Amino acid sequence: MKCNCELKGYLSYLVLWIISKKNMTGAEISKELEKRRGTKPSPGTIYPVLKELKDKGLITCDGNKAYSLTYKGKTELKQSCSFFCKMFYDIKDMFDCCK
Amino acid sequence: MKCNCELKGYLSYLVLWIISKKNMTGAEISKELEKRRGTKPSPGTIYPVLKELKDKGLITCDGNKAYSLTYKGKTELKQSCSFFCKMFYDIKDMFDCCK
DNA sequence: ATAGTTATATTGGATAACCAATATAAAAAT
DNA sequence: ATTTTTATATTGGTTATCCAATATAACTAT
């Protein structure tokens, strides 16, 4: 446990979430992550994640390299959201906490 | 990346958050985590986390083994909350997603 | 077409996160 | 007091997560 802020492990979940809102290329996803995290993920971070999600059949990639969720990916994301929201059911208080 | 649902990395953050609401013993913290995650963390998970947080000066332990945040811990938690909330600024949509 | 730039992808490795197994200590019950 | 149960703690090791470095491919501009 190096730094709580890093929240290791959220990344692939977040990538699914980001793609669910809009089909995006790797570069676009990286930019979106930069907005959220403050730092852009290294290519060695983002592309292996995309590859794994693809290998697991959760996302597909069209001719323009834009990634989108498969049906399986949508299902998986719903489950993850469900888990996430249960885990952080009191996140509203967290928003208040840092104000 | 085994399973997004595991959200590896959230644990120490969550422990800080839980303690911030109420001073608790290791056993109580475990129960609270079980409520959120579905499974109780193994002793080999929770106690090393508590030890590390203690070693980092973020929590202290009173005579009854109840853990509480130090000033440093409160500061750290605020930062983590801030980061977390920026990362998941659109978490409201996630709540909708799994309904 | 060629050079320069940007995007995509792979590899290898470091380390953080976690758990199972075990040990010890404390509390409760008989 | 002794047994049983529960809580706390440690150790050792596995795996996931992530990044730096590098390579390749695909655009853009001249």
Side-chain angles (χ1 to χ4, degrees), chain B residues 86-99:
Chain B
K86 188 179 174 193
M87 181 79 84
F88 298 107
Y89 74 90
D90 52 355
I91 193 172
K92 276 187 236 89
D93 303 334
M94 293 184 192
F95 276 93
D96 294 338
C97 169
C98 52
K99 262 180 228 154

Side-chain angles (χ1 to χ4, degrees), chain B residues 11 14 23 32 36 38-39 45 55 61 65 78-79 81:
Chain B
L11 191 55
L14 202 47
N23 297 358
E32 174 65 24
R36 291 173 184 256
T39 58
T45 298
D55 290 347
C61 186
K65 296 285 174 187
K78 268 199 181 179
Q79 283 178 358
C81 274

